[in-house]
Structure formats: C-alpha cells, structure tokens
Amino acid sequence: MIEFADVSVTYEEASQPVLRDVSLSIPEGELCLVIGPTGTGKSTLLGTINGLVPHFTGGTLAGRVSVDGQSTADHPPREFAGLVGVVGQDPVAGFVTDTVEEELAYGMEQLAIAPSVMRTRVEETLDLLGLADLRHRGLHELSGGQQQRVAIGAALTAHPRVLVLDEPTSALDPTGAEDVLAAITRLVHDLGVTVVLAEHRLERVIPYADRVLYVAGDGTVESGTPARILALSRVAPPLVHLGRLAGWEPLPLSVRDARRHAGSLRETLPPQPPVPHRRSHATGVTALTAQGIVVRHGAVYAVRGVDVSLYAGQVTALMGRNGSGKSSLLWALHGAGPRSAGKVDAAEKVGLVPQTATDLLYLDTVGAELSQADRDGAATGTARSILDSLAAGIPDSAHPRDLSAGQQLALVLAIQLTVTPGVVLLDEPTRGLDYDAKAALARTLDQLASQGRSVVVATHDVEFAATVADRVVVLAEGEIVADGPAPEVLTASPSFAPQITKVLAPLPYLTLGQIQAVTG
Amino acid sequence: MRLDRALHPVAWWLWAIALATAASQTSNPLLLLLIFAVLGLVVTARRANAPWARAFHYYLIMALIIIAIRVVFRSVFATGITADDHILFTLPQVRLPEWYAGIQIGGPVSLQATLSAVIDGMRLACLLCCIGAANSLANPKRALRVLPGALYELGVAVTVALSVAPQLVESVQRVARARKLRAGRRRGLRAFRSIALPVLHDALDRSLKLAAAMDSRGYGRTGAATPRSRRLTGALMLAGMAGLCVGAYGLLDPSVPRAAGITGFAAGIACSAAGLALGSRRVSRTQYRPDPWRWPEWTVAGCGVVTAVVLSLGLGYDPAALNPVLYPLQWPDLPLLPTVAILLAGAAAFASPPPPAGARA
C-alpha cells in the first residue's frame, strides 16, 4: 500500500539528512507502529506519506514515496486528501469548523462528495467512534479524548485507504488516550484501513501492532515484527524489559501474556522485596504545611479543604484524574494561584513549573534566558551550571522554542531553581515525553531530593510515579482520598498499578530494580 | 406536519433588510414602534437556543443609547428654536466668542426639538435592531456558508478568525498567570514582551498546524479551474458586491437621484450573477446539509419585501402620514395600509418553522 524506495529527507540548513536511504513497504490493512526517541524523524517519516514533507515543510526529498501507486512527488498534499487521512498531536489545532457534525463533513465538502453520501457517512462515523451524543456540540466544549476522536472521524469520513496518526495521545490524559487507542484498534479490525501510528505509550498499542518501524536517530529505519524490533530497541515498555530480564520467549507484549509466563518467576521471588523501590532522601524536616486549603473557580470548588505537609528530601506524586484539583492545589501551595480559604506555612521558597512550561520563556536564546534568571537573584553562571547538571549540552545560542520538550522542561526547571527554592512543584511534566526523557526527568527529581528539597510532581503516569515517588497522594473531587508510601498506594488496586506490579501481583514489586536485586 | 428546522439564513436577512428599508421611509413614531414590536415578536418566537441568538438584547440596549445620545446632543446644541416652540426648560448658556456664531451651547430646550430628536433616534435604532434581529435569527457562520463559490475563501477566513479569537484570549490568560511564577517580575515594556512573545509563538505554531491540517484535508483543491477564470470570477463578484452596496445606498438615501440608485443596483446584480455563473461552472466542492429554500423561506422573505414596497411607493394612502409634522404639534395618524403591511411582516413568526430544539450552532 505504501512504498518507500531509497527515500532520504534533508531539511534546509541541516548538515545531516533526517532520513537516509529508507526502503520499506507497508502492506494493506496493517497497523504499523512507528517508534523511536523524540526528535529522530518520526514526524518526518509520517509527513512523507501524504506529501506534507517536503511540499509543506520545505527541504529535499530524494527517492520515491508512493501510496496506492501514486507518487507524492507529482501531487500536492491536498490532492492526496481522498487517499490518506492525517491526524496530528493536537486535535484543536486542526479544527476548521466549530461543531462535531460540520467538522466530520469538512473534508468531504472539499472533495466534492455528493450531499446524500456525506449525510450517510457522517452518521456511520458518528456511530463508529461513539460520537453520536456529541453531534451538535461545539468542538471546544469537548474533552481532549473526545476532540481527538472527532479528528480521527474527520479524517475517516473521506474514506481514505491509509490513516496516518502522529502521536495522537501525547497531549491527552490516560482516560482520553485509552479512548483514542481503543477507537484506533477498532478501525483496524472493522474497516481494514492501513494505519501508520507514531506513539510513545507503547504498552497500549504493541499488542495490536502488525509491524514496527524503529527510527533510530541516525537516519535509518528498521522494519519488522513487534517482538523482533522490541527485543533490540532501547525504547520499550517496562513489560518488555521484564521479559528480557526473565528471558521469556517469545517476548510478552501484553500484561496477559506476561502473567502466563510469570508463574515460575513469582515462586522464586521473596514475598517482600529485599530492597525498596527507590532510595529515599526524606529527612522528616517539614518544608511546608498547608491547612484547610479551599480553591474556588466561580461556582466550582476545585479543592475542598485539603491538609497536607511536605517534607524535605521527599518526592511526592500527586495523582488523580483530570479536573480532580491537582493543578489548583499546586498553584495554591505556591501562592500565585487563587486560594479561597486555608493557610500555607512554607519554611522555604516555593518554585512551580507550570503545565505549559514554555509560557515562561520569552527571550530569543537559551543564554539570554539563563542570564535573565541570574539577574533575578543569583550569582552569574548559577543558572547555566544548574542547567548543565540537569541536561548537558544545550548551547547558549539555541532558541528555546527549538529545543525538545524534555530540554525545554530542563531549561524552565533550571530557571526556577536559580532562586534556590526548598520546595519544587511540577505540574504534569511528563506530558509528551518519551521513555528516555522521562528517565532523565526521574534522575533530575531524585537529584533535587538528594539536595534536601521537597519535590511534588502532579502526574497521570503510574510508571513514572513508581520510579520517582516516595509518597503518593491521590486527589478526587478536590479531596485527598489516599496518602501514603508509594508501594502501599500503588499496589492497592490492580487498575492503578504499574505494569510490573500487574504482572507479579499479589507480590508488591514496583520496579525492575527490585527484581534485579533478587535475580542478581 | 411541520418539522422544526433552521430557516435559510438568507431568508431572515432579506426579511430584516426589507424591514430596515421600510423603517428608513418613515418618521411616524407609531409605525416605528410597530416595527419594534414586530421585531421583538419574531425574535422571541423564532430564535434558536444558541449563544449567538442571545445577542438581541444587546442591540436593544444599543438602540436606547442611540436615542439618548441624540436627545442629549439636540438639547445641548440647541439651534433653530422658533416662536411656535413649546419651551420645556432652559439650560445655562455658554458664551461663545463672536466669530463662533452659529453654534450655541445650552439655552432653551423645546418640546418639538426633543421630539424630533427622539423620532430620529428611533429610526436609526430601528435600523440597528433589524440587523440585530437578523443576527439573532440566523447563525452568522451559517450565513457565511451561503457565500457564492467565488467568495468561499473569504468565508473560511472569517470562520477561522472567529474560532481563533477565544483561543487567543485563553492563551493570554495562561501566559499572564504563568508569568507570576518567575522571580523578578518585569513591568512596562518588558512585561508586555514577556506576555506577547509566548502568545505570538503560540498563535504562529497554531496557524502553521492549521494550515498543514487544512492542506492534508483537501482545502484549496483547484479541480478543473484555471487561475485566469478564478481571477475573473473574483473580480466580477467584488465589482458586483460594490455595485449592490452603492445601489442600496442610492435607493435608501432620498437625496440621491432614484435612477442612479436603480442603475447601480442593476449593475451590481448583473456582475454578481455573471461571477456566480462563472464560479459554479467548476464545482470542486459540495455543501453538507445545505439549508433548503422552500415555501416558508419564500413567505418570510415575501412578507418583508411587501412591507418595504408599501412604505416606499406611498400609493393607496396619504404619503404625508409617514412623516407627520411637528408644527402644529399633534398626535400622529396611523395610516391603515402601512400598518397592515408592517403587521404582515410579523407573520414571519408564524410562517417560519420553529427552530430545532438541539442547539444547532
């Protein structure tokens, strides 16, 4: 269906090609998963399929990309609209109309499909993606998962033979992501559409993938079956790492597969892990005490009377679904956000990294941002040395907006740390980060805790919480519903547990490290 | 059996413009009040349950403000008081230098001058409310969709701009909030920069993404049209629209010769029709659920047009009744035929189908 023949892509002013001599073919009806670290050319690879690269982005494409026998060299992307449907990361950015129904019809209007046909296709698509109840709703009142489903529907109504999705869940919370991925797998099975999907929540999609393309970062792309590629790939979910460690063959790709292998492993493991899931730096010294915090937005109480104490050296994960009051609580603890009642006693300065970290950056270069941070209350060079300890090798001359999401986060964190806060709050820092960037962030947070700071990180990511947190606080409807040591809270319910716990339950193991400590 | 559906937006606009034309022909306060009543009735009966439909009362407030401004100006800059005027009260007068004669600030305020200001204001307010009624009855975005093919791009630009504006506001709020987090907050120009740059970056990113998305969804497919025919269509349509505007102005303003107005109008219609015909020769686009044009649309538009024609022609009744005199001051007459015509426009409330219950924005 899709053929790449000796394809190389070089952007203007780049010394290296992003893709080099890629030759592969994707047969009809496959679910093809594209993996690889961020910034290695996944989006470029996807963009070539409908000709957005190079027609829209610029750059040079050597070789030939063809879909259903038509070469992208001969036609601009708009002429491919009937053949290839494209869904991007941020659904809102691609919306042209303002209601669900009109958005679904937009692509067909452009393709001059007869009104009677449009009507039936819209109805079919509404049912297929479970959007029928939302048909008259405004696009901006929908939740993230619903918006992304509308975007997929809008691409599908033109009946494309190929559907290209570039990290469709990276901006969504887990519930929204589940929604979208469930919809995608259903499309593959029910409609037989060829789907090319870039996704970093591998654990959710791998079981359904027929083929994996691994974009290595040096321009090469490896194509093969999921088990073969994952056995070699650096980028893999914890489950696969566990499978490799235990030497399971074939490599399990779902929790269910792994549990069928895990019986013998469970017997060899002691009932209590011999080592904790992480080495805690907590000292027991109170860094911040908050009592009776209430935050009200209009008629809605976002936080309802929360009492919480934070301790120096402790990493706390703040969890809970979207709208449970995590952000409001963090902003209230910092003091910059609204607080209707309650009081916060902070023994030390408090720093907060907001959800959209780039909102804090407004200068042209990294160097200018860093020296601005120094001028705001630190010795010259402080910010630079903090940044280097967090993420080495970001040049002063780079533009902050050109950095990867992980690097931007490190830069903002460095700026906020320059004024030496004793309490560091991070709002959803893992959004859009791949496994490598998450691991780097985990090391950073551990480093901050070892310096005696109290760290609070709001996150949806259970795997991330299992690696970094000493303590987990769960919020629901603005109230604390669980507060305790991470192993206790995270193993309490199977649906809220990290993958390794799911595989080894009822044994309370959280991380790969704990198993390595036993097996050696 | 009449099903609920949205009336064709063009029908509402024709109706409203016709009523505005009628209102501009008269300074009889009773007729103007009747037009207000008809607008109120139809809007209450037939507006949908959507945000844009709740705008009518803003237009009413604007109307009151217009009348008030008119009265205040007329009282303060009082000129041309004759011996027949009833003086209501006298404002303290400002002495202006000799060479500034002709303008008088303050002084006696007469009943006749005030009444004529109220009536003038009412007429203007009535025109405004007609436009307001059209905006509340027909979704402005759906109205844009009926733009002829040659002006399609214009419609898309307006639609996108309308949906991007709230996002821009949201992004300004978010950045301003985030700015509080950074130590050493800046003031003045630097503060502006620290908000404006992230917001502009956001907006640029978003527009690039939108352009890419629209490109991949087939926007701007040229189909069989050549660039030359597209340019010709565009030029004809624009000339036609300009002709229509000039013509409408000429017809509504009594001081412009009627022949000039009619010629402009006719030329505009001819140009637009030619552009439409040329544009529709290449159908590279279709419309989802196009609004049908059936008898309710004919009736609604017809009611409005009849009203406009009756008040413009002035046949079958004494045309002087449309513009009653203030000297001597007397209660205005209510001429029968114009009254019936305006009430007929109110029939639109019953001739049009009820709007759909689910908010169809």
Side-chain angles (χ1 to χ4, degrees):
Chain A
M1 192 68 198
I2 307 170
E3 298 282 342
F4 283 76
D6 298 318
V7 175
S8 298
V9 177
T10 315
Y11 287 119
E12 273 166 54
E13 294 175 26
S15 53
Q16 296 273 341
V18 189
L19 298 176
R20 188 184 297 151
D21 299 328
V22 176
S23 294
L24 52 94
S25 81
I26 301 168
E28 181 146 18
E30 280 201 345
L31 171 57
C32 173
L33 185 63
V34 182
I35 62 171
T38 321
T40 49
K42 279 185 300 196
S43 296
T44 305
L45 183 71
L46 296 184
T48 55
I49 296 176
N50 77 333
L52 274 180
V53 176
H55 287 288
F56 187 82
T57 56
T60 332
L61 185 140
R64 182 186 149 94
V65 181
S66 57
V67 182
D68 200 20
Q70 295 189 42
S71 164
T72 58
D74 309 335
H75 304 287
R78 45 191 171 275
E79 304 294 338
F80 271 89
L83 195 57
V84 183
V86 178
V87 178
Q89 277 181 27
D90 181 5
V92 181
F95 287 153
V96 187
T97 63
D98 46 13
T99 64
V100 173
E101 222 179 319
E102 286 172 1
E103 188 64 26
L104 291 181
Y106 180 78
M108 293 190 286
E109 290 182 336
Q110 304 308 312
L111 297 174
I113 289 169
S116 57
V117 180
M118 278 202 258
R119 193 67 204 270
T120 49
R121 285 198 194 170
V122 166
E123 300 299 330
E124 286 163 13
T125 312
L126 285 171
D127 283 338
L128 186 69
L129 293 171
L131 295 167
D133 297 341
L134 309 172
R135 62 187 303 160
H136 297 301
R137 294 272 292 279
L139 292 170
H140 293 276
E141 344 168 341
L142 303 182
S143 73
Q146 291 169 333
Q147 285 174 334
Q148 195 57 283
R149 263 155 53 209
V150 173
I152 293 173
L156 274 182
T157 47
H159 282 196
R161 309 278 300 276
V162 178
L163 190 61
V164 174
L165 302 112
D166 189 359
E167 306 208 344
T169 67
S170 71
L172 306 181
D173 63 81
T175 340
E178 295 274 305
D179 254 17
V180 169
L181 293 177
I184 294 171
T185 48
R186 195 152 90 212
L187 295 179
V188 177
H189 288 270
D190 290 2
L191 301 186
V193 190
T194 312
V195 174
V196 186
L197 171 70
E199 176 62 51
H200 57 88
R201 285 172 209 256
L202 296 182
E203 57 272 21
R204 306 306 316 168
V205 228
I206 279 282
Y208 308 101
D210 301 301
R211 172 186 305 273
V212 173
L213 302 183
Y214 179 64
V215 184
D218 56 355
T220 60
V221 177
E222 183 125 12
S223 161
T225 60
R228 189 175 80 79
I229 299 282
L230 282 184
L232 309 169
S233 157
R234 203 157 49 85
V235 180
L239 196 63
V240 170
H241 288 295
L242 177 66
R244 282 189 211 160
L245 181 75
W248 292 333
E249 269 308 322
L251 212 51
L253 298 176
S254 66
V255 170
R256 185 174 154 248
D257 288 347
R259 264 197 89 84
R260 287 161 64 191
H261 284 291
S264 55
L265 178 64
R266 276 201 298 268
E267 280 162 22
T268 59
L269 293 174
Q272 282 300 323
V275 292
H277 69 292
R278 66 183 299 273
R279 205 161 60 81
S280 175
H281 308 286
T283 57
V285 179
T286 312
L288 181 147
T289 320
Q291 275 181 326
I293 303 279
V294 177
V295 179
R296 200 175 119 180
H297 298 301
V300 183
Y301 287 90
V303 179
R304 298 166 166 268
V306 165
D307 302 322
V308 69
S309 296
L310 302 176
Y311 302 99
Q314 189 178 52
V315 181
T316 308
L318 187 59
M319 307 189 72
R321 69 177 79 84
N322 269 9
S324 58
K326 299 192 298 290
S327 290
S328 300
L329 179 60
L330 287 187
W331 281 80
L333 290 181
H334 177 271
R339 187 169 77 213
S340 315
K343 63 173 188 192
V344 177
D345 286 323
E348 316 218 30
K349 277 190 216 159
V350 184
L352 170 59
V353 176
Q355 209 173 80
T356 322
T358 46
D359 286 349
L360 288 182
L361 304 174
Y362 60 95
L363 296 169
D364 297 334
T365 62
V366 172
E369 289 284 1
L370 292 176
S371 53
Q372 184 62 52
D374 286 341
R375 245 171 287 148
D376 293 339
T380 313
T382 318
R384 181 80 240 180
S385 62
I386 295 175
L387 179 61
D388 286 339
S389 70
L390 299 182
I394 301 177
D396 267 348
S397 58
H399 193 287
R401 298 265 164 176
D402 291 338
L403 304 178
S404 72
Q407 288 174 324
Q408 283 175 342
L409 190 66
L411 176 59
V412 172
L413 196 53
I415 290 170
Q416 296 297 69
L417 289 177
T418 309
V419 290
T420 60
V423 180
V424 183
L425 313 172
L426 298 103
D427 196 359
E428 293 282 351
T430 54
R431 218 173 247 217
L433 298 188
D434 59 17
Y435 287 106
D436 283 351
K438 270 187 215 169
L441 179 65
R443 283 194 297 277
T444 303
L445 297 187
D446 187 60
Q447 189 188 335
L448 295 179
S450 70
Q451 294 161 358
R453 300 179 212 261
S454 180
V455 178
V456 181
V457 49
T459 182
H460 282 298
D461 193 326
V462 185
E463 305 293 339
F464 183 72
T467 39
V468 299
D470 302 314
R471 169 184 173 196
V472 173
V473 175
V474 182
L475 277 183
E477 294 192 308
E479 289 168 358
I480 291 183
V481 291
D483 182 359
E488 248 169 58
V489 179
L490 291 179
T491 54
S493 92
S495 64
F496 209 53
Q499 275 193 328
I500 293 196
T501 315
K502 280 182 187 164
V503 173
L504 297 178
L507 300 180
Y509 284 78
L510 284 181
T511 63
L512 207 59
Q514 289 176 311
I515 300 159
Q516 273 166 333
V518 177
T519 58
Chain B
M1 175 70 204
R2 195 159 66 157
L3 298 175
D4 56 348
R5 69 176 175 98
L7 198 76
H8 200 294
V10 170
W12 281 129
W13 274 97
L14 278 177
W15 176 83
I17 290 172
L19 260 186
T21 314
S24 72
Q25 298 297 325
T26 178
S27 62
N28 185 330
L30 294 178
L31 290 179
L32 287 174
L33 280 176
L34 202 58
I35 293 179
F36 273 114
V38 162
L39 288 175
L41 168 75
V42 175
V43 168
T44 327
R46 286 299 179 253
R47 70 170 160 195
N49 176 26
W52 42 266
R54 288 173 218 133
F56 190 63
H57 73 266
Y58 294 111
Y59 285 93
L60 283 179
I61 294 171
M62 279 270 277
L64 286 179
I65 294 174
I66 287 176
I67 298 175
I69 290 178
R70 205 101 194 168
V71 170
V72 168
F73 268 61
R74 193 61 175 268
S75 310
V76 174
F77 302 102
T79 46
I81 303 284
T82 62
D84 300 333
D85 280 16
H86 297 260
I87 305 299
L88 291 175
F89 53 90
T90 306
L91 288 172
Q93 197 166 347
V94 180
R95 285 252 157 253
L96 288 173
E98 225 25 59
W99 48 268
Y100 218 67
I103 291 181
Q104 184 190 338
I105 297 179
V109 176
S110 78
L111 178 61
Q112 276 87 349
T114 310
L115 276 179
S116 112
V118 168
I119 292 169
D120 262 9
M122 269 174 72
R123 190 156 62 168
L124 206 60
C126 199
L127 296 186
L128 184 80
C129 285
C130 287
I131 304 301
N135 261 327
S136 330
L137 288 165
N139 181 349
K141 286 189 185 172
R142 277 191 90 73
L144 279 177
R145 283 178 48 176
V146 304
L147 279 181
L151 294 179
Y152 174 79
E153 282 80 4
L154 196 73
V156 173
V158 174
T159 316
V160 169
L162 284 178
S163 49
V164 163
Q167 292 178 27
L168 207 61
V169 173
E170 190 261 348
S171 137
V172 169
Q173 285 171 345
R174 207 190 59 226
V175 173
R177 208 168 74 121
R179 211 173 65 88
K180 290 190 198 162
L181 298 178
R182 225 173 137 163
R185 264 192 275 158
R186 269 138 287 275
R187 305 194 176 279
L189 197 63
R190 278 171 162 273
F192 175 73
R193 186 186 154 98
S194 69
I195 291 182
L197 276 186
V199 170
L200 278 179
H201 268 298
D202 250 23
L204 261 178
D205 280 354
R206 245 200 306 256
S207 50
L208 270 180
K209 280 186 195 154
L210 180 63
M214 287 172 75
D215 204 1
S216 10
R217 290 170 69 184
Y219 174 79
R221 278 176 12 121
T222 48
T226 61
R228 195 170 151 269
S229 88
R230 264 182 299 146
R231 272 198 293 273
L232 188 61
T233 315
L236 277 174
M237 286 309 299
L238 283 178
M241 290 286 165
L244 281 178
C245 290
V246 171
Y249 182 79
L251 283 180
L252 294 180
D253 184 351
S255 64
V256 175
R258 196 134 272 220
I262 290 172
T263 320
F265 213 73
I269 288 177
C271 276
S272 310
L276 270 180
L278 195 63
S280 59
R281 277 229 305 262
R282 39 130 192 160
V283 180
S284 59
R285 205 177 287 119
T286 46
Q287 201 184 46
Y288 175 69
R289 292 177 92 167
D291 293 303
W293 187 281
R294 302 207 185 106
W295 70 263
E297 278 80 8
W298 284 116
T299 320
V300 167
C303 291
V305 170
V306 166
T307 314
V309 167
V310 168
L311 269 84
S312 305
L313 290 183
L315 296 175
Y317 57 94
D318 180 12
L322 289 183
N323 298 296
V325 290
L326 290 169
Y327 302 93
L329 203 55
Q330 60 179 4
W331 190 249
D333 287 330
L334 195 58
L336 180 68
L337 196 56
T339 309
V340 172
I342 292 171
L343 287 177
L344 183 68
F350 311 101
S352 59
R360 176 141 165 226

